[in-house]
Amino acid sequence: MMTDSDFIPAPPVRKPEKDSLMRRQRFYGWLMGSPAFLGLILFIFIPFVMAIVLSFTDQRLLSPNPTEGIGLRNYDRLLAVSWLTQDAQRDEQNNLVLDVKGEPQFERLRTVLRKDPSYKGYSELSTLTFSDSRVVFVAKDPLFIKSFINTIKFAFLVIPLQCGAALLLALLVNLGLKGTNFFRTAYFAPVVTSMVVVSIVWTFLYHKDIGLVNEFLNKASFGLIDKINWLGDPAWSMPAIVIMSAWQGAGYQMLIFLAGLQNIPEDLYEAASLDGANSWQKFVNVTLPGLRNTTIFVIMSTTIAAFGLFTQVDVMTSGGPADSTTTVMYHAVRKGFREQDIGYGATISVVYFLVILAIALGQKYYFDKRER
C-alpha cells in the first residue's frame, strides 16, 4: 500500500524560454548601467586606490627627486596628538613671575619642545591655563585638527537649519496656494546655480560697509545694530557660511520633502480631523511619521554634503580669518595641490573618507535601531 511519503514531487522544470528571457534582461541591465559603473570605476574607485597607495609615499606634484615609500610617516604626521604640562615660572623667593597683563608667565613653548626630542615636529594646538600651571595640547599638524573641528561645527549648524528650512518650504508649497509653481521654481533656483557664483554674490551681500545684509539689519533695528564684519571676524565667519549654504541647498531637500508629503494618504488627515485633531496634532501625529524615511534620507545626504564643504570657503574666506573657516577638504586641497605635497594630501583624503563612512554607517545604524 502506498503512503503520502511515496509521492515525492518532481522538481520544477524551468522552461528554456524563461531562462533565455532572464539572461537577456540581465545582459541589458548591465549594458544600461555600464556607463554609470564605468564612471564610478574611473572617477571614484581608481582614484581612491591611487590615494591609498600615494599616502604611503613622499610623492610631490613637481619634484626632481624620485618618489620613495615612507610607510606610515604621513599618517603619523596627520594624527599625532600629545600634551604636556607646564608650571608657571617663579623667582628666587618662589613668587610667581607675572607678565605685563598680570598673569603667570610660562616658559616659551617652542623652547620646551626643542628641549625634548620626543616632541620633534609638534606645534601648539590649544592650551588650558589654570592658576599656576597649564596643559598644552600639541600636534604635528594642528591645522588638520582645527579644520576637522570647524567641519564638525559647520555640520552641526547647517544640518538642522537647512533641513528645517526645507521642511517649512515644502509645507508651504504643499498647501496648493496660488503661485505655487512660481515659488517652487524660486526656491529651487539657487540649487541649480553654480556655487562659485552664489559665493561671489553673497560675498558682496556680506560686505561690512556696503553689503545689503548689514544695511537691512541697520535699517530694521533703527541703527541699534552695528555693522558686522561677517567674513572678517572669526566669531561670524562660520555662521555666515552656514546661512549662505543653508539658503543655497534648502531647495533640493524641499523637493524631496514635497514628494514625501504628496505620498501621505489624505485619508489619514481626514481621520485625524474626525477625531478632532488640530493642525499641530496632524503635523506631529500624521505628517512627521509619514515623512520618517524621507527625513532619514535628507539628514544623511545633507550630512555627507556638509562634510564636503570646500567651494564656499575657497571663494569667500580662503580659510580665514585666523583659520576659523578652514575645513578638511580645503586643507587637503591646499596641501595636495597648492603646496604640491600629493602624498600628504592623499593621506588626508583617505582618513577623511573613513571618517565620513563611519559617520554615515553610524547614522544608518541609529535610524535602523529606532525603526525596530
Side-chain angles (χ1 to χ4, degrees), residues 134-204:
R134 70 178 183 179
V135 178
V136 183
F137 294 92
V138 293
K140 289 188 176 181
D141 187 2
L143 190 54
F144 170 74
I145 307 298
K146 292 179 181 178
S147 64
F148 185 75
I149 294 174
N150 289 338
T151 306
I152 294 290
K153 185 189 302 182
F154 173 82
F156 271 98
L157 291 174
V158 79
I159 291 172
L161 179 61
Q162 184 170 324
C163 295
L167 178 58
L168 178 61
L169 294 176
L171 291 171
L172 293 175
V173 172
N174 195 50
L175 293 176
L177 302 176
K178 185 178 294 186
T180 297
N181 292 332
F182 168 77
F183 287 107
R184 182 185 303 180
T185 304
Y187 295 149
F188 189 74
V191 179
V192 296
T193 306
S194 170
M195 180 60 78
V196 175
V197 175
V198 173
S199 300
I200 293 174
V201 171
W202 275 79
T203 300
F204 288 110

Side-chain angles (χ1 to χ4, degrees), residues 281-296:
Q281 291 171 332
K282 291 179 184 178
F283 175 75
V284 173
N285 298 298
V286 179
T287 304
L288 288 183
L291 291 176
R292 185 183 183 282
N293 293 331
T294 304
T295 304
I296 292 174

Side-chain angles (χ1 to χ4, degrees), residues 205 207-221 227 230:
L205 293 177
H207 194 279
K208 180 181 178 181
D209 298 320
I210 60 174
L212 291 181
V213 175
N214 276 336
E215 290 295 328
F216 172 79
L217 292 176
N218 185 264
K219 294 290 178 28
S221 64
K227 292 184 177 181
W230 291 97

